[in-house]
């Protein structure tokens, strides 16, 4: 990752009255942004370089987090420069400056059952608060286009209310084609590694599983309980200070999606165990708190469990990154993630019960 040069940092900090730069160290590199720990003569900051450069979408994210912070949600809103702007463009690049938040990431293994409950309540509060702060924002009702996931084609309605949209499960025919393509790439990989062996095993296993389960593909249906969601709620986007959440970060995928699906996806990341199982007692505590805080019903969660389960069966993004893009950052996650799809299919009823009862 290339660190901004001294001229860029000096120009940016003068706009914010944030002192002179002392050190600038990269801390995050993603598809949508890059992050730096910035120390100046006035203190410590998080400098975010937004790669997509969509200033309107970035400003909407900023307005949302500022309003969430005013409601008491743990966020780290951007700082405003001398002109009141939170997005700075230098050399054609978009930057935002945030206060530095001391904290650490905690996955589900590091959370007690009570803390898992609080996590679910927090996400429920985020969903209800987002609806409040965005639908009442005259500049933000059209929403940040382009932030939806690959299987989501819903758009917010002109008034910013929760509009139903058509939701279709992944097509297994296309998935079988993808499996064949990835199998060929994995088998050609040289030098051949234990990862390649595991990838081949899991791809063959998944093809057999999908042949058996294809009849359970979710039918096309309108999903009424859509709303504004964080879009990427997982342990690396939540900082804890001690036992309590200090800040939810990285709002780049803020958008309109089925809310309960975000709750299910987040649980499948937070509470997955190394063997590819879910810690169901913690999931149950998390989900019950989410339902209470968000007002989501058991039927809504059951439908979300089914759609996310199907999504997982048909998803190979980690192998796609490795074999097509040459990007191995997700490799450590693959063993547990691939095993989870198989275990979830076998324990489908128990997983659904954990989210709904």
């Amino acid at each position: 990752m290339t660190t901004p040069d001294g001229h860029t940092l000096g120009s940016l900090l003068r706009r914010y009255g944030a002192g002179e730069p002392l050190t600038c160290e990269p801390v995050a590199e993603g598809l949508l942004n890059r992050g730096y720990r910035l120390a100046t003569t006035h203190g410590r900051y998080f400098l975010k370089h937004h790669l997509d450069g969509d200033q309107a979408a970035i400003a909407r994210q900023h307005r949302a987090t500022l309003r969430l912070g005013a409601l008491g949600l743990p966020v780290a809103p951007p700082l405003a420069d001398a002109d009141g702007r939170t997005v700075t463009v230098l050399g054609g690049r978009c930057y935002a400056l945030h206060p530095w938040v001391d904290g650490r990431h905690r996955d589900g293994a590091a959370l007690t059952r009570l803390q898992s409950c609080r996590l679910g309540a927090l996400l429920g509060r985020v969903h209800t608060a987002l609806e409040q702060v965005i639908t009442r924002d005259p500049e933000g009702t059209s929403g940040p286009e382009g932030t939806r996931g690959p299987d989501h084609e819903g758009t917010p309605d002109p008034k910013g209310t929760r509009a139903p949209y058509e939701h279709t499960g992944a097509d297994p025919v296309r998935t079988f084609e993808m499996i064949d393509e990835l199998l060929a790439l994995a088998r050609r990989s040289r030098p051949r590694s234990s990862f390649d062996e595991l990838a081949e095993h899991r791809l063959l296993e998944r093809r057999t599983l999908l042949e058996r389960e294809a009849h359970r593909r979710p039918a096309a249906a309108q999903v009424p309980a859509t709303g504004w969601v964080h879009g990427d709620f997982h342990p690396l986007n939540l900082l804890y200070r001690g036992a309590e959440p200090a800040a939810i970060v990285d709002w780049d995928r803020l958008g309109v999606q089925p809310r309960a699906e975000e709750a299910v996806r987040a649980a499948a990341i937070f509470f997955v165990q190394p063997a590819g199982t879910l810690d169901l007692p913690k999931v149950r505590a998390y989900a019950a708190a989410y339902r209470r805080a968000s007002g989501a019903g058991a039927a809504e969660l059951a439908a979300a469990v089914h759609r996310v389960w199907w999504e997982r069966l048909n998803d190979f993004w980690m192998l796609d990154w490795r074999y097509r893009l040459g990007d191995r950052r997700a490799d450590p996650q693959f063993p547990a993630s691939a095993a989870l799809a198989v275990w979830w299919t076998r324990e489908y009823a128990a997983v659904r019960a954990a989210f709904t009862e």
Side-chain angles (χ1 to χ4, degrees):
M1 186 192 305
T2 302
T3 303
D5 59 33
H7 175 73
T8 298
L9 291 175
S11 298
L12 187 145
L13 290 171
R14 281 192 291 274
R15 297 190 181 198
Y16 289 91
E20 295 298 321
L22 298 175
T23 61
C24 183
E25 302 173 353
V27 295
E29 182 174 6
L31 296 177
L32 301 179
N33 62 75
R34 292 173 181 164
Y36 306 89
R37 181 191 294 111
L38 181 60
T40 79
T41 53
H42 286 187
R44 293 184 300 162
Y45 303 90
F46 177 74
L47 175 63
K48 190 168 185 176
H49 172 198
H50 291 267
L51 297 179
D52 61 8
D54 186 341
Q55 297 178 50
I58 298 167
R60 282 192 290 269
Q61 296 162 20
H62 290 176
R63 286 195 300 273
T65 53
L66 285 163
R67 288 172 168 85
L68 290 175
L71 292 175
L73 274 296
V75 291
L79 303 175
D81 66 15
D83 297 321
R85 292 188 295 261
T86 59
V87 181
T88 298
V89 181
L90 293 173
R93 296 177 177 178
C94 290
Y95 295 97
L97 192 66
H98 299 255
W100 180 260
V101 178
D102 281 317
R104 64 188 185 94
H105 305 294
R106 304 182 71 180
D107 61 19
L111 300 179
T112 65
R113 197 173 303 187
L114 177 58
Q115 289 167 338
S116 302
C117 179
R118 290 174 178 168
L119 178 66
L122 174 61
L123 183 58
R125 287 177 59 211
V126 167
H127 286 172
T128 57
L130 279 173
E131 184 171 0
Q132 176 182 343
V133 303
I134 295 182
T135 59
R136 295 181 183 178
D137 178 3
E139 298 182 88
T141 53
S142 61
E145 294 83 357
T147 59
R148 296 175 297 277
D151 295 328
H152 301 296
E153 299 177 356
T155 54
D157 74 5
K159 296 181 181 179
T161 55
R162 291 180 295 163
Y165 67 82
E166 198 77 6
H167 190 296
T168 304
D171 184 353
V173 173
R174 174 65 190 115
T175 303
F176 291 138
E177 295 172 355
M178 187 184 307
I179 288 173
D180 289 340
E181 293 164 5
L182 289 171
L183 270 173
L185 291 172
R187 287 166 172 167
R188 288 202 301 266
S189 181
R190 295 292 183 274
R192 192 161 175 79
S193 67
S194 58
F195 186 98
D196 300 317
E197 296 285 350
L198 177 62
E200 181 176 351
H201 168 72
R202 290 302 190 188
L203 285 164
L204 292 171
E205 176 184 54
R206 193 75 61 84
R207 184 162 62 190
T208 300
L209 198 58
L210 276 167
E211 288 170 351
R212 192 183 75 208
E213 303 290 338
H215 66 285
R216 298 177 66 187
R217 177 187 181 185
Q222 284 194 332
V223 183
T226 57
W228 290 92
V229 300
H230 177 276
D232 204 19
F233 193 80
H234 59 69
L236 294 181
N237 285 338
L238 180 59
L239 287 167
Y240 276 83
R241 188 179 295 119
E244 298 299 325
I248 305 166
V249 299
D250 284 347
W251 293 81
D252 303 89
R253 290 191 169 93
L254 175 71
V256 173
Q257 294 181 13
R259 300 171 309 166
E261 287 189 23
E262 171 156 87
V264 174
R265 287 193 195 94
I269 300 172
F270 270 96
F271 301 112
V272 66
Q273 299 175 307
T277 62
L278 291 178
D279 188 329
L280 292 183
K282 290 182 180 179
V283 169
R284 188 178 294 273
Y286 159 95
Y290 174 79
R291 295 198 308 272
R292 287 192 297 269
S294 67
E300 182 180 341
L301 265 296
V305 167
H306 188 69
R307 291 193 299 268
V308 176
W309 163 75
W310 181 257
E311 178 183 281
R312 285 285 187 134
L313 278 185
N314 287 267
D315 184 30
F316 299 96
W317 71 269
M318 295 177 190
L319 296 183
D320 199 57
W321 274 28
R322 179 185 174 96
Y323 292 116
R324 294 188 196 279
L325 304 180
D327 188 331
R328 301 192 174 192
R329 283 177 293 170
D331 284 7
Q333 303 173 47
F334 177 72
S337 178
L340 176 60
V342 179
W343 177 86
W344 192 337
T345 302
R346 187 173 66 246
E347 301 295 334
Y348 182 90
V351 174
R352 182 178 59 189
F355 279 98
T356 60
E357 295 178 359

